[in-house]
Amino acid sequence: MAALREAATMIRAGGIVAVPTETVYGLAADARDSAAVARIYAAKGRPDFNPLIVHVTDLAAAERIAVFDDDARVLSTRFWPGPLTLVLPLREGAGIASLVTAGLATVAVRVPAHRAMRALLAEAAAPLAAPSANASNGISPTRAEHVAASLGAAVPLILDDGATTEGVESTIVAGRTILRPGPVTAEMLAEVLPVMAGATAHVSAPGQLATHYAPAKPLRLDAVSGGAGEWLIGFGAVTGDDTLSAGGDPVEAAARLFDTLHRADASDCTRIAVAPVPEAGIGAAINDRLRRAAHR
């Protein structure tokens, strides 16, 4: 389609475009072009020590960028294309801009499943660095209008393919450690490898900052009722002004998470409250995002 060809042309010319993935909308640029990657950081106001994920078309393309061990091959075979990012040693001569890796010896790489991102990768014929298409530390975008509201004229083109399906960012794994929970849950990972949840002392992958995914308004967690001036986001039996899932479905809650936060932030209320969500399965990813959103 014309918009896709225009987006690919902009990428090849060193520009940035917003594009949906199955997780959230990303702000994409050629990962080999340091000036283009710098435009991502400038548009987002992103700290330059926070690395970016490189999106590629398939395992062969990933292996041209990163060094795979047996564990990484097992995970990539099982979960790619899909919402799993692997942090691996950067291959010598990979050509990835140092801004992408924040100067680290590792690179975060993913093979996405979404048709729009895969089409853009193919048309642009380039690995794409693509963090979430929102102002740094803001609420992640799951619709094109979220991108426009957050970044405005800083993004010259948005490929609109409707709402994303997963609704939260990809799971990030380094070795056998989960650095960021996501749609590929710990339980799913444990079916193929004994993966332990954990965290590193320094920022080695996207989404590890203590404050992240944050609305402009103060956020209260584990709320069973709304207080004065609060917009209550319910879950299951806890009803409110909006709900993550009236039926208590954590998968539906993940898909709706950032959309409900955007609506809450745009409301007339001065504060936001969110009902408890069970920690099991993808609930771990939901609660990770909510804890970071509430951290001030």
Side-chain angles (χ1 to χ4, degrees):
M1 65 183 194
L4 177 64
R5 290 193 294 272
E6 182 182 359
T9 298
M10 294 176 70
I11 292 289
R12 290 192 294 268
I16 58 175
V17 300
V19 54
T21 75
E22 66 271 29
T23 57
V24 298
Y25 274 70
L27 189 58
D30 188 334
R32 304 165 300 185
D33 185 336
S34 58
V37 175
R39 292 185 181 98
I40 293 177
Y41 282 101
K44 286 177 63 68
R46 186 182 182 92
D48 61 7
F49 55 81
N50 200 1
L52 308 180
I53 295 173
V54 179
H55 299 72
V56 294
T57 53
D58 53 29
L59 176 58
E63 288 186 306
R64 291 193 287 271
I65 293 170
V67 178
F68 279 67
D69 58 14
D70 289 343
D71 284 358
R73 289 183 185 282
V74 168
L75 292 173
S76 61
T77 299
R78 171 64 179 82
F79 295 110
W80 280 358
L84 175 68
T85 295
L86 299 177
V87 177
L88 299 166
L90 180 65
R91 185 174 293 280
E92 185 176 355
I96 298 300
S98 60
L99 271 176
V100 171
T101 63
L104 299 173
T106 55
V107 62
V109 63
R110 178 164 92 88
V111 176
H114 195 283
R115 62 181 184 179
M117 180 55 123
R118 292 189 63 79
L120 181 59
L121 284 164
E123 187 76 17
L128 298 180
S132 57
N134 58 279
S136 188
N137 291 340
I139 306 170
S140 297
T142 56
R143 298 177 181 272
E145 52 264 38
H146 297 163
V147 180
S150 183
L151 295 179
V155 182
L157 177 64
I158 303 171
L159 290 176
D160 186 352
D161 198 14
T164 63
T165 55
E166 300 293 346
V168 293
E169 295 82 359
S170 63
T171 304
I172 300 179
V173 171
R176 296 192 176 189
T177 299
I178 300 171
L179 299 184
R180 181 177 73 183
V184 178
T185 66
E187 293 85 350
M188 294 164 66
L189 291 164
E191 291 177 1
V192 293
L193 279 179
V195 178
M196 296 188 303
T200 55
H202 61 283
V203 176
S204 60
Q208 288 186 280
L209 297 177
T211 302
H212 207 51
Y213 319 109
K217 298 172 182 177
L219 178 65
R220 181 170 66 94
L221 303 180
D222 298 324
V224 295
S225 62
E230 283 187 331
W231 179 279
L232 177 61
I233 299 173
F235 178 81
V238 178
T239 59
D241 301 282
D242 204 341
T243 183
L244 293 170
S245 172
D249 180 355
V251 175
E252 180 185 20
R256 290 175 53 84
L257 175 61
F258 291 127
D259 209 17
T260 59
L261 286 175
H262 277 286
R263 285 194 292 271
D265 221 19
S267 74
D268 293 334
C269 294
T270 57
R271 303 176 65 86
I272 303 169
V274 184
V277 177
E279 191 73 17
I282 200 169
I286 296 169
N287 287 316
D288 170 77
R289 305 313 192 272
L290 287 173
R291 283 190 290 267
R292 293 177 192 273
H295 186 278
R296 291 180 181 271

